[in-house]
Amino acid sequence: MFNIAIFGRPNVGKSTLFNALVGKKKAIVSNISGVTVDRNYEIVKLYDINFNLIDTAGILDETKNRDDFTIQTLKAVEDADLVFFVTDYSSGILPYDFELSSILRKTKKKMLSI
């Protein structure tokens, strides 16, 4: 099955997007950073297309912090056929978003910025 991973820094709306695409409140959504701590999977059907959607924890600093959250998120990206790179419009594109996009480009995965 086609896998789509949702990727980005903490609190940019990854779990909100996951819930919207899934059509139910499966992922916890909070203003507190770090609520999503593991990968969350759900099979999604949009029109006649089925795919596996993966919600991930936000990456704080991949180069310095190799905690379990980061490892789990990078594993989801590795397993994905497509990555939704989520940024927060209200805060704008931050320098760290550019670092994360660089990490994604190195994976050579197909990416859609949201």
Side-chain angles (χ1 to χ4, degrees), residues 34 36-38 56-59 66-74:
T36 304
V37 295
D38 203 358
T56 65
I59 295 183
R66 295 296 286 191
D67 61 15
D68 191 47
F69 306 146
T70 301
I71 292 167
Q72 291 296 320
T73 297
L74 294 175

Side-chain angles (χ1 to χ4, degrees), residues 2 4 6-7 13 18 20 29 31 35 37 40 46 48 54 56 68 86 92 102 110 114:
F2 195 78
I4 300 175
I6 304 173
F7 177 86
F18 179 85
V29 176
N31 289 333
V35 172
V37 295
N40 198 355
L46 275 169
D48 60 344
I54 310 165
T56 65
D68 191 47
V86 181
S102 177
K110 293 179 183 173
I114 299 175

Side-chain angles (χ1 to χ4, degrees), residues 9-100:
R9 60 185 162 84
N11 282 57
V12 292
K14 295 180 303 296
S15 294
T16 300
L17 176 62
F18 179 85
N19 286 341
L21 291 172
V22 167
K24 58 185 173 185
K25 294 181 180 180
K26 183 171 181 192
I28 298 170
V29 176
S30 173
N31 289 333
I32 299 169
S33 186
V35 172
T36 304
V37 295
D38 203 358
R39 290 174 282 174
N40 198 355
Y41 292 85
E42 186 72 24
I43 295 174
V44 176
K45 181 175 181 169
L46 275 169
Y47 302 102
D48 60 344
I49 302 169
N50 292 312
F51 58 91
N52 194 32
L53 188 63
I54 310 165
D55 185 24
T56 65
I59 295 183
L60 291 171
D61 191 343
E62 193 274 335
T63 58
K64 296 177 186 168
N65 188 7
R66 295 296 286 191
D67 61 15
D68 191 47
F69 306 146
T70 301
I71 292 167
Q72 291 296 320
T73 297
L74 294 175
K75 175 69 174 137
V77 168
E78 181 181 312
D79 293 344
D81 300 296
L82 174 67
V83 179
F84 288 166
F85 179 39
V86 181
T87 57
D88 183 1
Y89 177 79
S90 64
S91 66
I93 304 296
L94 300 179
Y96 189 55
D97 291 317
F98 289 106
E99 291 179 41
L100 291 177

